[in-house]
Amino acid sequence: MTHTDLDWATDYDIFDATYIENPFPIWDELRERCPVSHTDRYQGSWLPTTYEDVTAIARDVEHFSSRSVSVFPPPDGEQDGEAPLLAAGVPPISADPPVHTWSRRLLLPWFSPKRVGDYEITTRALCRKLVDGFVHNGRADAAADYAQQIPVRIIGQVLGVPEERSDVFVGWVRDILEFANDEERRKRGVIELVTYFNELIEQRRDGDGDDLISELLRAEVDGEKVSDPHILGTAALTLIAGVDTTWSAIGSALWHLATHDDDRRRLVAEPELMDTAVEELLRAYSPVTMARIVTEDHEYKGCPMHKGDRVLLNFPAANRDPNQFPDADQVVIDREVNRHVAFGAGIHRCAGSNLARMELRVAIEEWLARIPEFVLDPEGEVTWAGGQVRGPRNVPVIFD
């Protein structure tokens, strides 16, 4: 749905088709005119768009709680994400200290540089297999045939689930994130995901598996076992946060390279630029917006925020702030100083950032190794999804 006559400062709609497809000029306007805007849509929320405001609010855990991080309010009047299906939320991202501290500590080893190095072997083999499937066709959908096939299989390896579940997982994640304003669809996705992970927890309770769920079942915090609802929430988070976010980053990167010949050819000619290019693509096309809940009536820079208000941490807009990044609206693949917040800021900075970076880097490397020259298919249509996570759903390309 498109609202061409919106006043974005007082009535923004992050699900508007114009916003999803091209939010950059809207953010530019808001930074100048109303850096912390407000809407009454979807039970109301605030939208900061400057680097300074987004990072300040992200780090202020006293006034802005993470107990509900969805940009869309919970269905059926359930408050603060305390739905009975996910009674513990999705820790650590939905937890405040002190629960956040120990729940994050349990998760971090799974995304350490050493673990990610092990996953890289699988990721590279997977990318090569995917390219093998379409390289001789002269055309492919860089999003659907490639980007969207990678993270779900790697996260499946972390969770210890068979690869044939991948398509089902993708369906659940899309139901929960992409179709967040379709209450029935979102609820169905949550129910199916929760049912599946509860069954996995029961199956692995007394086993000796080396997957994340098995290790959480064996873990103790202050002499106590981790509760089943907590394990369920962490498993759900690992899937939801590790799939759509990364495939959106990969898809956006390939869309950029298909539409910017100079950047693509330079990256092929100068592969040593890959690490800085990955950071720049993450900055320019950051996929994730997170929410916070105002803990008490609080005035922020003249904005009268009330207890229970939702604040949308617009990390993508922060990363396009010209006061923080020179030539912020340009992709500069050799940008040396790049303190982007694509992975968030403060205590909730993404625990899986090492894994996401690796998947993005390997996906680009393996694509360019086999398909160095490609452009958008003039007969195809690029489509984008947005809301919590913005990224392309279809990127039809052609190549020789």
Side-chain angles (χ1 to χ4, degrees):
M1 186 176 188
T2 303
H3 309 286
T4 54
D5 57 347
L6 279 182
D7 181 343
W8 290 95
T10 60
D11 187 31
Y12 64 79
D13 182 358
I14 66 167
F15 293 98
D16 178 79
T18 302
Y19 184 91
I20 291 171
E21 185 169 341
N22 186 20
F24 311 121
I26 296 169
W27 297 337
D28 290 343
E29 176 193 341
L30 290 178
R31 277 190 223 98
E32 292 296 321
R33 191 160 70 91
C34 184
V36 184
S37 49
H38 184 269
T39 189
D40 289 327
R41 294 175 186 271
Y42 315 118
Q43 299 181 28
S45 62
W46 299 88
L47 185 72
T49 47
T50 70
Y51 188 94
E52 179 184 355
D53 291 334
V54 170
T55 55
I57 292 171
R59 293 188 171 103
D60 184 353
V61 297
E62 179 183 352
H63 294 108
F64 302 98
S65 169
S66 295
R67 65 179 184 257
S68 178
V69 296
S70 171
V71 298
F72 200 77
D76 290 343
E78 295 163 354
Q79 293 304 305
D80 303 338
E82 292 295 332
L85 290 167
L86 287 167
V90 283
I93 206 168
S94 64
D96 294 319
V99 173
H100 168 269
T101 308
W102 62 259
S103 58
R104 183 179 172 90
R105 192 181 303 133
L106 290 176
L107 199 55
L108 280 176
W110 286 87
F111 304 107
S112 67
K114 182 182 184 305
R115 290 265 185 151
V116 169
D118 294 337
Y119 301 141
E120 180 170 340
I121 298 168
T122 307
T123 306
R124 204 169 285 282
L126 170 62
C127 290
R128 290 174 179 173
K129 179 182 174 184
L130 290 169
V131 174
D132 283 342
F134 52 71
V135 69
H136 300 297
N137 299 337
R139 64 181 59 244
D141 188 323
D145 297 337
Y146 190 66
Q148 290 164 30
Q149 304 301 319
I150 299 166
V152 67
R153 287 168 171 77
I154 305 307
I155 290 296
Q157 185 179 346
V158 174
L159 294 168
V161 297
E163 186 175 320
E164 54 265 28
R165 300 290 306 183
S166 294
D167 289 344
V168 180
F169 283 171
V170 167
W172 293 342
V173 172
R174 292 187 69 185
D175 286 347
I176 294 166
L177 290 181
E178 186 178 335
F179 299 95
N181 54 355
D182 181 337
E183 189 170 313
E184 282 305 308
R185 186 163 181 175
R186 179 164 70 160
K187 181 174 275 191
R188 182 186 71 204
V190 172
I191 290 171
E192 291 179 2
L193 179 148
V194 165
T195 301
Y196 179 73
F197 279 127
N198 273 329
E199 291 172 358
L200 279 189
I201 289 170
E202 284 308 312
Q203 291 169 12
R204 297 177 184 177
R205 191 172 300 282
D206 300 313
D208 58 357
D210 60 357
D211 57 276
L212 173 62
I213 293 172
S214 297
E215 288 213 5
L216 289 175
L217 282 164
R218 292 191 291 267
E220 291 188 357
V221 177
D222 297 330
E224 299 283 333
K225 289 281 193 183
V226 180
S227 72
D228 283 6
H230 189 103
I231 294 172
L232 169 66
T234 299
L237 170 68
T238 302
L239 177 65
I240 296 167
V243 172
D244 195 354
T245 54
T246 308
W247 91 37
S248 293
I250 296 170
S252 294
L254 291 172
W255 173 84
H256 177 86
L257 295 174
T259 53
H260 295 77
D261 295 348
D262 290 348
D263 285 348
R264 183 182 70 251
R265 289 168 184 160
R266 187 175 178 199
L267 208 45
V268 170
E270 303 176 57
E272 65 274 13
L273 288 178
M274 186 60 72
D275 286 343
T276 53
V278 162
E279 297 307 313
E280 178 67 348
L281 290 164
L282 283 166
R283 180 197 69 82
Y285 302 108
S286 307
V288 182
T289 299
M290 301 298 282
R292 295 289 186 267
I293 303 297
V294 179
T295 58
E296 59 188 10
D297 287 358
H298 176 62
E299 184 170 304
Y300 180 83
K301 292 191 175 180
C303 298
M305 298 179 176
H306 299 293
K307 181 178 180 179
D309 281 0
R310 195 169 294 269
V311 181
L312 309 187
L313 293 181
N314 195 342
F315 294 113
N319 281 336
R320 291 271 185 154
D321 186 344
N323 285 327
Q324 179 68 24
F325 301 96
D327 299 316
D329 60 343
Q330 302 295 315
V331 174
V332 183
I333 62 172
D334 58 358
R335 188 186 294 272
E336 292 186 4
V337 179
N338 194 348
R339 296 185 60 193
H340 68 73
V341 285
F343 294 113
I347 64 170
H348 288 283
R349 191 180 176 284
C350 175
S353 59
N354 291 327
L355 180 64
R357 279 190 170 98
M358 180 276 290
E359 290 178 89
L360 179 55
R361 172 177 54 80
V362 169
I364 297 171
E365 286 174 348
E366 293 300 327
W367 178 285
L368 291 180
R370 304 284 294 284
I371 309 173
E373 287 287 323
F374 62 102
V375 295
L376 292 182
D377 184 346
E379 297 181 5
E381 181 185 6
V382 176
T383 62
W384 296 80
Q388 192 93 40
V389 183
R390 178 182 180 270
R393 284 291 163 268
N394 300 97
V395 182
V397 296
I398 54 174
F399 44 85
D400 295 329

